[in-house]
C-alpha cells in the first residue's frame, strides 16, 4: 500500500523504521517463529510504497495477522527506545551501513546510473543521511500511524489451494485465481 502520497516529502527516518521492522519484528515473527524461509518488508523512498513479503511461508493466515500487528509493534518499539537509546542507535547504524556500504565497481556504476535517472544529488543524499542520523522514537510512531492508515492496500498470494482455503477458514478474505 501507499504510505506517502505522490509529491509528499519522505524523511530519511522512514528508512530506519522500515529496516528495523524488516530485520527485527518481521524476522522474528515471520521467519524465526513462523517458519517462513523469508519474511521482510520493502519501502520505496521514491514512490512511497510499502510492502510486506514472505516466501516459502507455511502460515499464511498467521503471517497476515503479523503484518496487521506491525504498526502496534512499532509503537511498542518507540516506547522502548525512549528508555533504551542504544536500541535506536543500533537501528540508525544499520541503516547507515546499508546506505554507505562498500560497493563493487559494477555496483558503483549501477548506483550512479540510478541516481542519474532520478536526478538524485549529493546534497539530497546528504540530507537523507542527516535525517537518518537524527531519527527519534517519534519517527517510529509517525511511521506506525501511517502504516495503520495504509492507502490502497492489497494482498497477493501465490500458494497452494489448501493453504489458501485454510487462510479463508481463518477469516482471511481473498479472491482465489487458479493459475494452473
Amino acid at each position: 500500500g501507499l504510505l506517502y502520497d505522490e509529491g509528499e516529502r519522505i524523511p530519511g527516518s522512514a528508512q530506519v523504521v522500515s529496516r528495523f521492522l524488516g530485520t527485527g519484528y518481521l524476522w522474528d515473527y515471520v521467519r524465526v517463529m513462523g517458519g517462513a524461509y523469508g519474511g521482510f518488508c520493502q519501502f520505496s523512498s521514491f514512490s512511497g510504497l510499502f510492502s510486506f513479503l514472505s516466501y516459502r511461508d507455511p502460515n499464511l493466515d498467521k503471517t497476515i495477522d503479523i503484518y496487521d500487528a506491525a504498526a502496534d509493534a512499532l509503537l511498542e518499539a518507540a516506547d522502548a527506545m525512549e528508555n533504551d537509546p542504544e536500541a535506536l542507535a543500533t537501528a540508525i547504524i544499520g541503516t547507515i551501513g546499508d546506505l554507505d556500504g562498500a560497493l563493487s565497481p559494477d555496483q558503483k556504476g549501477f548506483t550512479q546510473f540510478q541516481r542519474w535517472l532520478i536526478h538524485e544529488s549529493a546534497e539530497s543524499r546528504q540530507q537523507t543521511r542527516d535525517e537518518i542520523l537524527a531519527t527519534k522514537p517519534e519517527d517510529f510512531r509517525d511511521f506506525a500511524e501511517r502504516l495503520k492508515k495504509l492507502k490502497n492496500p492489497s494482498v497477493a498470494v501465490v500458494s497452494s489451494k489448501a493453504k489458501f482455503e485454510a487462510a479463508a477458514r481463518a477469516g482471511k478474505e481473498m479472491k482465489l485465481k487458479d493459475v494452473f
Side-chain angles (χ1 to χ4, degrees):
L2 193 61
L3 276 183
Y4 290 85
D5 290 322
E6 185 177 337
E8 188 176 7
R9 181 155 189 329
I10 300 171
S13 61
Q15 292 181 36
V16 177
V17 180
S18 177
R19 185 183 188 283
F20 175 87
L21 192 60
T23 60
Y25 174 75
L26 295 173
W27 175 265
D28 291 345
Y29 287 94
V30 176
R31 168 81 171 88
V32 176
M33 290 187 267
Y37 193 74
F40 52 100
C41 60
Q42 290 181 338
F43 175 66
S44 170
S45 58
F46 303 109
S47 68
L49 288 172
F50 183 85
S51 302
F52 290 108
L53 303 111
S54 71
Y55 59 97
R56 296 175 71 181
D57 190 340
N59 300 302
L60 174 58
D61 60 303
K62 291 177 185 167
T63 296
I64 292 172
D65 290 339
I66 291 166
Y67 296 160
D68 289 342
D72 290 330
L74 286 176
L75 292 172
E76 288 177 24
D79 292 343
M81 286 177 184
E82 292 286 353
N83 300 316
D84 185 9
E86 199 168 299
L88 178 59
T90 300
I92 291 168
I93 290 167
T95 305
I96 288 292
D98 288 349
L99 189 68
D100 291 333
L103 300 174
S104 66
D106 66 313
Q107 290 171 320
K108 286 178 186 177
F110 184 69
T111 300
Q112 288 302 324
F113 177 63
Q114 287 179 312
R115 289 175 180 164
W116 177 78
L117 284 174
I118 62 170
H119 306 288
E120 183 182 50
S121 68
E123 293 80 17
S124 68
R125 284 194 310 282
Q126 184 58 50
Q127 181 178 354
T128 298
R129 190 177 289 106
D130 292 343
E131 291 171 353
I132 288 169
L133 291 169
T135 299
K136 305 277 184 265
E138 189 58 37
D139 297 314
F140 281 69
R141 290 184 189 96
D142 292 342
F143 195 97
E145 292 305 320
R146 285 182 178 274
L147 202 51
K148 287 183 177 189
K149 299 173 187 170
L150 196 63
K151 298 174 187 126
N152 302 320
S154 63
V155 176
V157 177
V158 177
S159 183
S160 70
K161 192 171 187 175
K163 291 288 184 185
F164 182 87
E165 289 169 348
R169 286 191 299 276
K172 307 299 178 226
E173 292 184 35
M174 294 175 274
K175 181 180 174 185
L176 176 63
K177 179 175 180 166
D178 288 321
V179 289
F180 57 89

